Amino acid sequence: AHCPVYTASKHGVLGFTRSLAEASRLGNYGIRINALCPSFVNTAILDTINHEENLGNFYQFKDGVKNLIKVFGVLEPSVIADGFVQLLEDDSLNGAVMKITTTKGVHFENY
Ligand SMILES: NC(=O)c1ccc[n+]([C@@H]2O[C@H](COP(=O)([O-])OP(=O)(O)OC[C@H]3O[C@@H](n4cnc5c(N)ncnc54)[C@H](O)[C@@H]3O)[C@@H](O)[C@H]2O)c1
Ligand SMILES: CCCCC/C=C\C=C\[C@H](O)C/C=C\C/C=C\CCCC(=O)O
């Protein structure tokens, strides 16, 4: 929401992940490819919404993003690291999309 190009890039990452994971499985590449999709995380990127040069025409919607942050809260990076370790350790995961949110914690999007 609010930033169409940013959002399009994230959808692209998911398509890339799932397609490459299937290619890896079929081609016996020996690697697993998964995506980790967190809600808001406490990193420097959150400050970018305060700068017009980052959001361009969509700067006018920054209060909407701030409201989302207020409603859903901000995760600490350590929570994301824990999810990442789970992706590393679970050999059954390939082409998986792990979501981490304040409301549901770690869960998976099934396609
Ligand atoms: N922080 C969040 O709320 C959040 C939530 C979901 C997804 N993400 C995604 O996670 C990823 C990492 O974000 P983050 O929160 O750690 O942000 P961050 O701002 O802390 O880190 C981003 C890093 O990317 C580097 N970078 C930027 N442009 C680059 C380029 N062209 N080539 C190489 N490196 C470049 C920056 O120098 C910086 O070190 C991003 O793709 C972001 O969209 C972040
Ligand atoms: C919205 C774009 C703002 C510009 C980029 C700054 C930060 C981006 C952070 C993340 O990519 C945001 C991702 C998801 C947040 C959206 C809704 C949260 C829903 C959480 C839930 O369902 O519990």
Side-chain angles (χ1 to χ4, degrees):
H2 304 97
C3 300
V5 174
Y6 179 85
T7 302
S9 74
K10 296 309 182 196
H11 281 254
V13 168
L14 295 190
F16 182 71
T17 298
R18 295 175 65 219
S19 178
L20 187 56
E22 184 63 0
S24 180
R25 187 184 69 80
L26 292 171
N28 294 312
Y29 295 175
I31 55 170
R32 297 182 290 108
I33 301 95
N34 299 294
L36 199 169
C37 308
S39 175
F40 296 106
V41 186
N42 187 13
T43 71
I45 201 174
L46 292 188
D47 185 49
T48 61
I49 59 177
N50 293 312
H51 301 279
E52 189 166 3
E53 65 270 27
N54 292 321
L55 295 191
N57 289 339
F58 305 105
Y59 183 67
Q60 60 183 305
F61 304 132
K62 72 175 187 315
D63 289 341
V65 179
K66 286 184 176 182
N67 193 48
L68 283 177
I69 293 174
K70 200 182 292 179
V71 169
F72 290 108
V74 176
L75 296 158
E76 283 306 314
S78 61
V79 177
I80 314 310
D82 289 343
F84 182 68
V85 169
Q86 191 178 325
L87 287 176
L88 287 181
E89 291 183 341
D90 187 343
D91 285 343
S92 73
L93 296 174
N94 184 45
V97 176
M98 173 187 278
K99 295 170 79 173
I100 307 180
T101 63
T102 51
T103 46
K104 292 188 187 169
V106 171
H107 57 289
F108 289 87
E109 184 77 31
N110 294 312
Y111 289 90

